[in-house]
Amino acid sequence: MSSEPLSRARIVAAAIDLVEREGADAVSMRRIAAELGVGVMSLYNHVPNKDALLNGVAEAVLSEIEFTDDPDAHWTDRVRAQARAFRQIAHGHPRSTMLVVSRQLHSNAGLLPVERALATLRGAGFDGIDAVRVLRLFIAFIVGSLLREVGMTPTFAPVRTSADDAVEVDPALFPEVSALSSLLHDCDHEAEFDFGVELLIQAIAVHPARREGIR
């Protein structure tokens, strides 16, 4: 049992550790109390309920992102930097990432990346409606990429029976899957993420809704 005083930060840290080991479904107030070696009722002096605790996990992970945003940079460079900064959460806390992208956070930590993204898109020449649409498009791409990176979305590659073996695919029925099987198995997450971000940037740069002549 630790001699460190019980605090919200310590409770949230224990929850993050448990999420990373066993997933968010393993989290309960009783389980966290057992992890910390304290009575379950003592947790409620710092965290009112499980939902607030999971929000705390998401906010703690999100607050670790280093948003080094340069308001004087070209909007395309700002979009790249913001997208890559958000992706950082998948590296140190892959399972907690799912809480970040699935919970509606109204704290400063939760609203800061939204504020900066909208400001960037407005500066790029989009009106309010289209700035929100583009933001949601980027979020959908980033969330999908993170889910794939932590192994929660299908790769569409033929199933492997071992590290070096793949189930035989009938090339007559699935000629492209068969021919590209090795590429479907291999995935450079960094390169794939950058590829997707660049495609989105190129698409929104020429979108007719964007006003010309704005950085």
Side-chain angles (χ1 to χ4, degrees):
M1 183 183 299
S2 172
S3 60
E4 182 183 349
L6 191 62
S7 64
R8 185 179 185 277
R10 188 176 165 215
I11 294 168
V12 169
I16 292 174
D17 185 61
L18 181 58
V19 169
E20 292 306 318
R21 293 197 326 263
E22 301 181 27
D25 290 343
V27 175
S28 69
M29 300 296 274
R30 188 173 300 278
R31 179 69 187 277
I32 296 300
E35 293 278 320
L36 292 171
V38 300
V40 66
M41 295 307 295
S42 64
L43 299 185
Y44 292 100
N45 294 323
H46 305 276
V47 182
N49 50 50
K50 177 182 174 179
D51 188 63
L53 176 56
L54 293 179
N55 280 343
V57 168
E59 290 167 359
V61 171
L62 195 58
S63 67
E64 292 181 14
I65 298 177
E66 296 182 6
F67 283 108
T68 54
D69 187 33
D70 180 4
D72 294 325
H74 192 276
W75 70 267
T76 55
D77 292 328
R78 296 183 69 192
V79 169
R80 291 185 187 97
Q82 291 165 14
R84 289 167 185 162
F86 192 80
R87 183 176 175 271
Q88 293 173 10
I89 61 177
H91 292 173
H93 307 289
R95 288 188 168 183
S96 297
T97 297
M98 300 307 100
L99 290 174
V100 173
V101 300
S102 65
R103 304 186 76 80
Q104 187 72 34
L105 303 177
H106 298 289
S107 64
N108 288 349
L111 294 176
L112 178 60
V114 177
E115 173 65 24
R116 289 189 171 176
L118 288 174
T120 299
L121 293 169
R122 296 282 278 149
F126 287 100
D127 64 17
I129 293 175
D130 286 305
V132 169
R133 287 173 175 167
V134 172
L135 171 62
R136 287 175 176 159
L137 177 64
F138 265 93
I139 289 173
F141 166 73
I142 292 171
V143 169
S145 296
L146 297 182
L147 287 171
R148 181 181 59 197
E149 190 160 349
V150 299
M152 296 186 67
T153 57
T155 63
F156 303 106
V159 177
R160 288 186 183 274
T161 55
S162 72
D164 303 310
D165 228 8
V167 172
E168 188 67 27
V169 173
D170 186 344
L173 291 175
F174 309 105
E176 296 301 334
V177 172
S178 178
L180 302 177
S181 176
S182 62
L183 294 177
L184 287 169
H185 277 297
D186 295 333
C187 184
D188 182 335
H189 294 297
E190 194 84 31
E192 299 254 345
F193 185 84
D194 288 342
F195 177 79
V197 169
E198 289 306 316
L199 279 184
L200 288 174
I201 288 175
Q202 290 177 33
I204 66 176
V206 298
H207 195 285
R210 192 177 75 86
R211 299 194 304 276
E212 294 294 333
I214 298 181
R215 292 204 323 157

